[in-house]
């Protein structure tokens, strides 16, 4: 069986690793490869190489870094098909969906191609007589990224293009369930002309993560994953003096008002709830039907959910692939069962779905639960699977209160024909990313991505301007010319402007 190695100092290597984990093909339900799991000593080796590379990369010109980003972007286009197949094989999502994450991730590389503009500092002329002030930003050093399984290429791309373009060297610890895309990315960076050691991949589990969090040679950690681990990473890494971005889980609501185009809203809700088998941090897992919208909405959703074609992600024509592991499949099934036991109405039942010829695959069909309430587990838990719950409320105020009482605050959406209602919604809702008639409002690369409350621990969103700030630190320089003695050039008192 193929063994997926680390990528350290510009080459594939086993380093000192001997432990492995299986990498599954979720559509077949069996292992397709094994991945090495790093020991703390392997993390040391990787960080040492990245530290050495920083000595020259941290001093490289903006032109050199930008040239690499442009070349890398072209290679991502050229290898899109290959990357999409790798993602689909290990994650399970359909190929077109995998292409979608490559395109959205590539937008961050495009932003990084313009890093020279994003890094421009300010200059203030003559703040005092003969005195000017300017500021500029410098890279941190070796920075690390720890990423989840659900976007094998896009989430790492939220991090490394900006980290590298701003002059850092980057150590990625991808999810051990989907390691192969990162390996190809490492090869593409090398082909794009990135010097050895600037981009590193260390595969592993908690052992590697803990070694990263404690490592004195790492200046900053970017994490995306579930909320308990985000909290853990934030606590551990800040305790060792690192900067931390820590993005967590979600439970995203889409509110449908009675004046919405129900067919349009249901179409988008279906795609946002069941696309990628519900395994997106911006998936809509709760529809909030306001007033008279409820019955019509559920009727259309029932028809659409029942029409979803489930099968292997690699086969054209399928809308939805399997979930990532057998444990995830069981969790989804149990959540639907518990939902019905707690009083929800099971409108579409995906629990028994079998895909012919793929009986061992981790498939589970779309499920629709109506009359969900805020007390039920189906509402409270992040199921992270193809389950859409519908909560019925009477007014927009009630919908907003429901969302604001939820511990998560990643994304939300409102479907309405009323600009007034939409404006009130976006101003009052305590959520970081909001869609108006847009179900999955993932910001473009030149904005930053981040939720509120338990969906983001600490205060740093990811990519865009926040990403540039995160991976750099500022210096402010105060300069006086001429340098020879003049009025106010020396003095015993605390300096003030004149
Ligand atoms: P996860 O938290 O289990 O794993 C994320 C990373 O942490 C992986 O690299 C994993 O190896 C590591 N890890 C797991 N357990 C650990 C432990 N005990 N100690 C140290 N490290 C550990 O998440 P996942 O299942 O891979 O991904 C799904 C989760 O990610 C969902 O909760 C989803 O909402 C969230 N997510 C959030 C965003 C966002 O932008 N907010 C984006 C994508 C995914």
């Amino acid at each position: 069986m193929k063994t997926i190695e680390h990528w350290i100092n510009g080459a594939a290597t086993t380093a000192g690793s001997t432990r492995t984990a299986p990498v599954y093909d979720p559509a077949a339900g069996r292992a397709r490869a094994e991945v090495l799991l790093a020991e703390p000593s392997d993390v040391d080796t990787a960080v040492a190489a990245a530290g050495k590379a920083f000595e020259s990369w941290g001093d490289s010109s903006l032109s050199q870094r930008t040239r690499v980003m442009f070349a890398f972007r072209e290679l991502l286009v050229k290898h899109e098909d290959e990357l999409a197949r790798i993602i689909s094989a290990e994650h399970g999502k359909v190929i077109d969906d995998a292409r979608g994450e490559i395109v959205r991730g590539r937008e961050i590389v495009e932003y990084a191609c313009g890093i020279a503009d994003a890094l421009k500092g300010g200059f203030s002329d003559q703040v005092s007589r003969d005195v000017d002030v300017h500021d500029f930003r410098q890279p941190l050093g070796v920075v690390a990224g720890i990423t989840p399984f659900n976007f094998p290429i896009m989430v790492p791309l939220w991090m490394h293009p900006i980290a590298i373009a701003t002059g850092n060297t980057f150590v990625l610890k991808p999810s051990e369930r989907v390691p192969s895309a990162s390996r190809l990315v490492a090869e593409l960076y090398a082909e794009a002309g990135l010097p050895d050691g600037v981009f590193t991949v260390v595969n592993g589990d908690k052992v590697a993560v803990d070694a990263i969090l404690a490592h004195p040679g790492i200046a900053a950690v970017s994490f995306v994953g579930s909320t308990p681990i985000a909290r853990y990473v934030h606590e551990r890494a800040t305790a060792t003096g690192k900067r931390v971005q820590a993005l967590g889980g979600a439970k995203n609501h889409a509110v449908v008002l009675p004046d919405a185009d129900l067919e349009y809203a249901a179409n988008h809700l279906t795609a946002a709830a069941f696309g990628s088998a519900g395994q997106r941090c911006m998936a809509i897992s709760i529809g909030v039907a306001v007033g008279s919208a409820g019955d019509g909405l559920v009727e259309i959703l029932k028809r659409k959910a029942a029409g979803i074609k489930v099968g292997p992600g690699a086969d054209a024509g399928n809308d939805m692939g399997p979930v990532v592991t057998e444990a995830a499949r069981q969790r989804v099934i149990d959540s639907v069962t518990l939902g019905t036991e707690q009083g929800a109405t099971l409108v579409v039942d995906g629990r028994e779905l079998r895909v012919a010829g793929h009986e061992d695959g981790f498939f589970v069909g779309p499920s629709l639960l109506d009359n969900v309430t805020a007390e039920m587990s189906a509402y409270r838990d992040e199921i992270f699977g193809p389950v859409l719950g519908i909560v019925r409320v009477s007014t927009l105020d009630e919908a907003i209160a429901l969302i604001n009482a939820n511990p998560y605050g990643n994304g939300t959406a409102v479907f309405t024909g009323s600009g007034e209602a939409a404006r009130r919604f976006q101003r009052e809702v305590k959520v970081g990313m909001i869609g108006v008639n847009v179900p999955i409002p993932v910001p473009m690369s030149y904005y930053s991505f981040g939720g509120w409350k338990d969906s983001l621990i600490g205060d740093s969103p990811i990519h865009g301007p926040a990403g540039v700030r995160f991976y750099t630190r500022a210096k402010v320089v105060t300069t006086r010319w001429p340098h020879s003695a003049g009025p106010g050039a020396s003095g015993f008192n605390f300096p003030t402007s004149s």
Side-chain angles (χ1 to χ4, degrees):
M1 189 179 290
K2 185 176 152 202
T3 302
I4 299 157
E5 298 175 310
H6 314 297
W7 184 271
I8 297 175
N9 214 12
T13 172
T14 56
S17 307
T18 50
R19 290 184 306 127
T20 60
V23 178
Y24 284 94
D25 170 356
R30 58 174 176 268
R32 66 190 295 271
E34 59 177 13
V35 61
L36 286 175
L37 300 176
E39 300 302 329
S41 56
D42 303 327
V43 173
D44 285 345
T45 307
V47 174
K52 183 87 194 126
F54 178 70
E55 288 171 15
S56 48
W57 186 251
D59 218 20
S60 61
S61 69
L62 278 169
S63 308
Q64 184 189 353
R65 292 184 235 152
T66 308
R67 266 197 305 275
V68 170
M69 283 300 149
F70 272 104
F72 178 56
R73 190 238 170 233
E74 288 311 298
L75 290 167
L76 286 175
V77 173
K78 188 172 156 197
H79 291 269
E80 185 178 304
D81 192 55
E82 186 185 356
L83 273 166
R85 286 184 187 286
I86 290 171
I87 292 167
S88 174
E90 292 182 354
H91 174 286
K93 64 178 75 174
V94 299
I95 298 278
D96 278 352
D97 194 31
R99 282 186 193 283
E101 76 157 289
I102 297 168
V103 172
R104 293 303 313 260
R106 206 164 63 211
E107 288 168 4
I108 315 294
V109 184
E110 288 158 4
Y111 180 76
C113 288
I115 203 70
D117 195 47
L119 272 179
K120 271 186 194 158
F123 181 90
S124 299
D125 173 60
Q126 195 77 342
V127 298
S128 180
R129 190 173 301 279
D130 298 333
V131 176
D132 305 325
V133 175
H134 72 279
D135 70 350
F136 64 103
R137 303 191 73 86
Q138 290 186 311
L140 304 179
V142 181
V143 299
I146 300 162
T147 53
F149 81 85
N150 64 326
F151 287 108
I153 187 161
M154 184 184 78
V155 168
L157 279 168
W158 286 352
M159 305 170 180
H160 54 75
I162 297 181
I164 290 172
T166 51
N168 301 277
T169 57
F170 191 89
V171 177
L172 174 63
K173 203 301 283 174
S175 167
E176 61 273 42
R177 297 183 200 151
V178 291
S180 295
S182 299
R183 169 59 186 280
L184 181 53
V185 163
E187 290 172 17
L188 298 185
Y189 262 135
E191 196 179 335
L194 192 71
D196 293 350
V198 177
F199 180 73
T200 298
V201 181
V202 173
N203 288 305
D205 54 8
K206 179 174 168 53
V207 173
V209 172
D210 286 347
I212 287 170
L213 302 181
H215 205 293
I218 293 176
V221 175
S222 302
F223 174 87
V224 176
S226 59
T227 294
I229 311 299
R231 216 181 283 287
Y232 171 80
V233 165
H234 190 267
E235 279 170 16
R236 280 287 186 103
T238 51
T240 56
K242 303 181 199 329
R243 281 189 187 187
V244 185
Q245 291 173 319
L247 280 65
K251 193 83 183 178
N252 304 313
H253 303 60
V255 177
V256 181
L257 292 177
D259 67 355
D261 178 331
L262 288 189
E263 188 75 28
Y264 174 87
N267 248 338
H268 281 290
L269 246 69
T270 307
F274 304 122
S276 201
Q279 299 170 116
R280 291 179 181 141
C281 58
M282 291 289 272
I284 295 293
S285 48
I286 294 293
V288 186
V290 179
S292 59
D295 291 347
L297 181 71
V298 170
E299 205 42 52
I300 307 172
L301 286 172
K302 177 182 175 182
R303 173 165 41 89
K304 292 194 183 295
I308 291 172
K309 206 154 169 261
V310 184
D315 294 356
N318 287 331
D319 303 312
M320 194 181 111
V323 293
V324 69
T325 56
E326 177 54 29
R329 192 180 89 89
Q330 205 50 57
R331 188 186 64 233
V332 171
I333 291 170
D334 292 348
S335 304
V336 174
T337 305
L338 193 58
T340 54
E341 285 168 7
Q342 292 180 344
T345 313
L346 186 55
V347 181
V348 179
D349 185 358
R351 288 174 298 177
E352 299 298 327
L353 177 124
R354 293 285 172 274
V355 175
H358 294 268
E359 285 73 12
D360 294 334
F362 309 139
F363 290 99
V364 56
S367 291
L368 179 62
L369 289 168
D370 193 8
N371 299 309
V372 170
T373 64
E375 296 72 39
M376 294 179 186
S377 314
Y379 178 81
R380 289 206 315 272
D381 300 341
E382 185 188 28
I383 301 172
F384 220 57
V387 182
L388 176 61
I390 302 295
V391 178
R392 307 248 190 161
V393 299
S394 306
T395 61
L396 175 60
D397 284 338
E398 256 185 78
I400 292 172
L402 178 79
I403 295 169
N404 288 350
N406 192 283
Y408 294 111
N410 214 36
T412 188
V414 63
F415 288 87
T416 180
S418 159
E420 197 177 323
R423 184 171 189 275
R424 194 147 73 76
F425 181 78
Q426 66 186 281
R427 295 202 74 250
E428 292 182 14
V429 86
K430 293 184 174 125
V431 174
M433 295 170 284
I434 299 162
V436 176
N437 298 319
V438 171
I440 304 189
V442 174
M444 296 299 288
S445 59
Y446 32 91
Y447 288 83
S448 298
F449 181 109
W452 282 23
K453 301 187 276 182
D454 285 358
S455 295
L456 187 145
I457 313 299
D459 66 353
S460 181
I462 210 159
H463 79 56
V468 174
R469 276 194 300 278
F470 180 75
Y471 291 123
T472 56
R473 53 189 162 181
K475 284 179 173 165
V476 184
V477 183
T478 305
T479 311
R480 184 198 303 277
W481 295 112
H483 73 297
S484 51
S490 64
F492 203 70
N493 296 336
F494 194 74
T496 56
S497 54
S498 60

